[in-house]
């Protein structure tokens, strides 16, 4: 049966009069999350107190929910775990991968990568010293830069600004051919595209859950470790939850079995409960259907904007096969234009220096929303409604 996107749309609470094209930054609230959170707070935490770790199954949430995410990212069951933040998971994967390739000291990434990933790599190189380096090239130059000096290839599959999508299987294969490992950040692709980490050969993958997976602000991150590494990878952040027997309280660390060893600190139970409920929306969703609808929506938006707003320049790849589920347009006054859109109920976001960014999530966005957003944008551009001091004053979060 094809995916019923009208049914998935009915599972979200969206404010009246809002066209929400920013789920690539923060997903909206699924209807069942508030009730699940209330139950976790009152019936579990409130009445079970500390016994909830056993009675309510809190201790198993990171791996149980990990299996739900595994289906969405094309991973094997039992090889994804939740917890901590995406930056922490990037650090974990990167440090472990470097230790697995000790004769090399180069981390290869691209200049379109999310800055936080690069910051974590820079910090780790400073800590390790002894010639470790982060090497970055333009996104389109990555393939040619993969050589036998590279220890680890670290890329975000979908560029956060442009939506440009890397070819995971091809780049991973090239990395493996020269003896390098591959880490993929799925922050802008998990829940948005047809991700296939197992088929694509990824050694590690990481991602956040508050974008397309709708876990709420600050929702926990996940990490995937390929089965071939699961029992040998050594976690750099050897936290007590990753210990073989956390409640033995041994003074020396022994890694847990498989993906359990990638756990670090105490799991954030309220955030995990919200994510668990949010993932109910995905029951019955076929990833191939999601991808096809995403392309349809993005293509319609691009065609509409280019026809009616010639002063805006497409900043995303034109070929949908090279694009995630977001579309970017460029304009020198991109920030002010986006503020004018938000004031009219079309919520996207801005990324420096000049990018208007729009996310298209088929779970709750359809062609009616796309066409309405194009019409409002066209009116703003035709009337220069963005050209006011109010819209040009930048807030802390853009």
């Amino acid at each position: 049966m094809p995916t019923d996107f009208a049914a998935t749309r009915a599972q979200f609470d969206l404010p009246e009069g809002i066209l929400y094209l920013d789920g690539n930054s923060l997903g909206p609230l699924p209807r069942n999350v508030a009730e699940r959170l209330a139950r976790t707070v009152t019936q579990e935490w409130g009445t079970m107190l500390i016994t909830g770790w056993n009675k309510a199954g809190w201790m198993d949430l990171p791996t149980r929910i990990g299996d739900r995410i595994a289906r969405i990212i094309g991973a094997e069951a039992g090889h994804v775990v939740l917890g901590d933040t995406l930056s922490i998971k990037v650090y974990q994967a990167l440090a472990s991968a470097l230790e697995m390739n000790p004769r090399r000291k180069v981390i290869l990434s691209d200049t379109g990568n999310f800055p936080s990933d690069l910051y974590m790599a820079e910090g780790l190189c400073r800590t390790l010293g002894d010639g470790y380096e982060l090497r970055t090239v333009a996104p389109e130059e990555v393939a040619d830069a993969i050589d036998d000096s590279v220890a680890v290839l670290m890329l975000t599959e979908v560029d956060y600004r442009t939506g440009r999508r890397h070819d995971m299987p091809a780049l991973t294969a090239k990395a493996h051919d020269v003896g390098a490992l591959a880490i993929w950040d799925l922050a802008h692709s998990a829940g948005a595209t047809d991700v296939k980490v197992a088929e694509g050969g990824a050694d590690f993958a990481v991602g956040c859950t508050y974008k397309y997976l709708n876990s709420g602000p600050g929702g926990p991150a996940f990490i995937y470790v390929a089965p071939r590494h699961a029992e040998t990878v050594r976690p750099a952040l050897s936290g007590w939850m990753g210990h073989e027997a956390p409640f033995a309280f041994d003074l020396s660390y022994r890694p847990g079995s498989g993906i359990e060893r990638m756990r670090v600190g105490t799991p954030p139970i309220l955030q995990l409960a919200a994510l668990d409920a949010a993932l109910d929306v995905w029951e019955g969703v076929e990833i191939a259907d999601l991808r096809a609808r995403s392309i349809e929506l993005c293509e319609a938006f691009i065609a509409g904007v280019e026809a009616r707003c010639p002063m805006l320049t497409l900043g995303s790849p034109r070929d949908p096969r090279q694009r995630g589920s977001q579309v970017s347009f460029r304009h020198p006054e991109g920030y002010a234009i986006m503020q004018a859109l938000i004031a009219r109920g079309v919520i996207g976001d801005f990324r420096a220096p000049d990018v208007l960014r729009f996310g298209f999530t088929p779970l709750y966005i359809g062609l009616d929303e796309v066409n309405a957003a194009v019409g409002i944008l066209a009116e703003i551009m035709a009337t220069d409604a963005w050209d006011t001091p109010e819209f040009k004053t930048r807030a802390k979060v853009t």
Side-chain angles (χ1 to χ4, degrees):
M1 293 290 291
T3 302
D4 184 350
F5 289 111
T8 62
R9 170 65 179 82
Q11 296 183 62
F12 285 89
D13 259 333
L14 288 165
E16 190 70 28
I18 294 295
L19 300 173
Y20 194 64
L21 304 182
D22 207 13
N24 54 311
S25 192
L26 176 67
L29 176 68
R31 291 184 184 277
N32 64 334
V33 167
E35 186 278 329
R36 171 62 183 276
L37 277 174
R39 187 171 76 246
T40 302
V41 169
T42 59
Q43 297 180 27
E44 295 179 11
W45 179 20
T47 62
M48 297 178 189
L49 299 171
I50 199 170
T51 67
W53 287 104
N54 292 317
K55 290 181 179 178
W58 291 347
M59 198 66 169
D60 298 326
L61 281 178
T63 48
R64 183 174 68 75
I65 299 174
D67 281 345
R68 301 189 76 182
I69 290 176
R71 183 183 78 86
I72 296 172
I73 65 171
E76 302 90 341
H79 290 277
V80 178
V81 72
L82 273 294
D84 317 298
T85 67
L86 180 52
S87 293
I88 294 298
K89 293 308 179 195
V90 168
Y91 189 97
Q92 273 189 286
L94 191 53
S96 295
L98 286 173
E99 187 175 289
M100 292 166 65
N101 211 352
R103 296 185 179 180
R104 301 184 185 184
K105 299 183 178 182
V106 173
I107 302 164
L108 178 64
S109 192
D110 71 73
T111 54
N113 204 346
F114 193 69
S116 183
D117 290 18
L118 302 180
Y119 301 161
M120 298 306 288
E122 288 176 343
L124 181 57
C125 287
R126 285 195 301 271
T127 298
L128 294 173
D130 194 29
Y132 279 91
E133 66 170 289
L134 170 64
R135 183 181 299 165
T136 57
V137 297
E140 60 273 13
E141 297 172 0
V142 169
D144 290 339
I146 300 173
D147 59 30
D148 60 10
S149 71
V150 174
V152 180
L153 175 67
M154 180 187 72
L155 296 171
T156 296
E157 187 183 20
V158 173
D159 188 302
Y160 77 104
R161 276 182 299 209
T162 67
R164 182 190 190 278
R165 187 181 186 185
H166 278 302
D167 187 333
M168 180 190 294
L171 293 176
T172 299
K174 185 159 187 182
H176 289 170
D177 286 345
V178 300
L181 296 167
I183 299 171
W184 289 92
D185 184 337
L186 309 179
H188 288 273
S189 48
T193 63
D194 48 344
V195 185
K196 298 175 182 177
V197 295
E199 187 178 315
D203 296 290
F204 298 86
V206 296
C208 58
T209 61
Y210 51 80
K211 301 181 189 294
Y212 294 99
L213 300 180
N214 311 300
S215 67
F222 62 84
I223 186 168
Y224 161 81
V225 179
R228 60 188 175 276
H229 304 311
E231 297 297 339
T232 57
V233 63
R234 202 166 72 93
L237 296 174
S238 44
W240 78 305
M241 286 292 167
H243 192 281
E244 182 183 55
F247 288 91
F249 298 108
D250 290 342
L251 297 184
S252 296
Y253 181 79
R254 302 192 312 274
S257 176
I259 196 65
E260 289 281 348
R261 67 184 57 197
M262 303 310 282
R263 296 174 66 163
V264 183
T266 304
I269 297 304
L270 298 184
Q271 292 178 320
L272 286 169
L275 172 59
D276 197 25
L279 290 174
D280 289 347
V281 177
W282 289 89
E283 298 300 322
V285 174
E286 294 295 331
I287 302 301
D289 294 344
L290 181 89
R291 178 62 173 157
R293 179 62 64 88
S294 164
I295 291 173
E296 178 187 14
L297 298 176
C298 291
E299 291 289 277
F301 186 74
I302 291 170
V305 172
E306 291 192 323
R308 301 183 64 180
C309 307
M311 67 291 293
L312 299 178
T313 302
L314 181 65
S316 298
R318 191 166 295 280
D319 183 348
R321 294 170 297 180
Q322 299 176 7
R323 193 174 63 228
S325 197
Q326 65 189 65
V327 173
S328 295
F329 278 91
R330 295 183 181 275
H331 189 280
E333 295 291 345
Y335 180 82
I337 295 167
M338 183 54 70
Q339 302 319 299
L341 277 167
I342 293 171
R344 292 283 303 275
V346 179
I347 300 182
D349 60 21
F350 169 81
R351 290 294 178 261
D354 59 358
V355 173
L356 295 101
R357 192 175 71 158
F358 304 89
F360 295 90
T361 310
L363 297 183
Y364 52 84
I365 295 294
L367 286 173
D368 288 346
E369 287 85 358
V370 169
N371 293 332
V374 169
I376 294 171
L377 177 57
E379 182 180 339
I380 287 171
M381 299 310 298
T383 61
D384 290 336
W386 54 267
D387 194 7
T388 70
E390 174 191 1
F391 294 146
K392 293 182 178 182
T393 302
R394 298 207 179 188
K396 287 185 177 180
V397 178
T398 63

